[in-house]
Amino acid sequence: LSSLLMVMFLFVFCFNIVLSLFVSIPSLAGSTTGGSIKMTQLVSALLAIPLLVHGMASLMAMGVAFVGDVWKGGPLLRSATGLSSLWSEWSFFILFLGIPSITITITLFAGDENWWETSIKVWMVCIFIGLVVFWFAITIRETSSCFQLLRISAMKDQNAKEEDLTLWNLLLRAVYMANVQRYDG
């Protein structure tokens, strides 16, 4: 549930960025102040729209996948790191409940009048750390799967031996296959 809350905060943050970009376009066009058009800034704002929308959509898709993965017990994290189910559950517990609970306890015993604000900040940082670890797990899993598929493809096509398939040869094969896929009719 806490990971869902973090994704909602992330959605609001992304939506604010895109909204502020759209709000700035009329002022850059000079229609709100009656001034001159700031052509360079207007063109750059217009060209930034597709990039920001695509980037934020990818971020939201990964955030939703993070929520689903945490809800299911972290199968992606376990497959990327090799952790057992027990260690995965304990790490989620420590990250989402343990550290924030200890922070609440310490700030309450210390007599901090902003104990709730401090503990919420620590809680959000812990969830964000979990999200970043999840993104790295996705990257590791996708990269290793790509190299595995390249190795299988190279062994099928060229009858190559396993020791002939160095990292450099696999990277060259990846570029070759991407170009064939892109330019082949």
Side-chain angles (χ1 to χ4, degrees):
L1 200 54
S2 60
S3 58
L4 184 62
L5 182 66
M6 178 66 179
V7 170
M8 292 302 154
F9 279 124
L10 199 59
F11 172 75
V12 169
F13 175 73
C14 294
F15 189 74
N16 281 333
I17 289 174
V18 173
L19 186 64
S20 68
L21 179 67
F22 278 112
V23 168
S24 71
I25 289 175
S27 66
L28 292 174
S31 63
T32 58
T33 59
S36 64
I37 297 175
K38 300 174 183 171
M39 189 56 80
T40 307
Q41 293 173 349
L42 178 65
V43 169
S44 63
L46 289 173
L47 291 176
I49 290 172
L51 178 69
L52 282 174
V53 169
H54 178 71
M56 307 277 176
S58 298
L59 189 66
M60 292 286 71
M62 282 192 259
V64 170
F66 171 65
V67 171
D69 191 66
V70 169
W71 186 259
K72 293 175 187 170
L76 179 73
L77 186 67
R78 284 196 313 263
S79 70
T81 60
L83 290 174
S84 69
S85 172
L86 179 71
W87 284 105
S88 173
E89 292 293 330
W90 271 104
S91 64
F92 285 142
F93 170 76
I94 290 170
L95 201 59
F96 295 152
L97 292 175
I99 295 172
S101 298
I102 291 171
T103 304
I104 289 172
T105 306
I106 290 172
T107 54
L108 280 174
F109 280 135
D112 187 10
E113 62 184 49
N114 295 329
W115 65 272
W116 185 245
E117 182 181 335
T118 305
S119 61
I120 286 293
K121 287 178 183 177
V122 168
W123 183 51
M124 294 302 279
V125 166
C126 287
I127 294 171
F128 188 71
I129 288 170
L131 191 60
V132 169
V133 168
F134 180 77
W135 288 336
F136 279 121
I138 286 176
T139 304
I140 290 168
R141 192 67 183 159
E142 285 183 356
T143 305
S144 65
S145 298
C146 176
F147 281 130
Q148 202 171 22
L149 287 174
L150 283 171
R151 186 170 278 121
I152 291 169
S153 172
M155 290 179 72
K156 259 188 194 176
D157 292 346
Q158 302 169 353
N159 292 329
K161 297 176 188 169
E162 183 72 28
E163 56 270 359
D164 293 339
L165 298 175
T166 61
L167 179 63
W168 180 252
N169 289 340
L170 288 176
L171 290 174
L172 288 176
R173 181 154 181 87
V175 171
Y176 170 73
M177 290 178 73
N179 285 334
V180 166
Q181 189 267 338
R182 185 176 300 127
Y183 298 121
D184 196 13

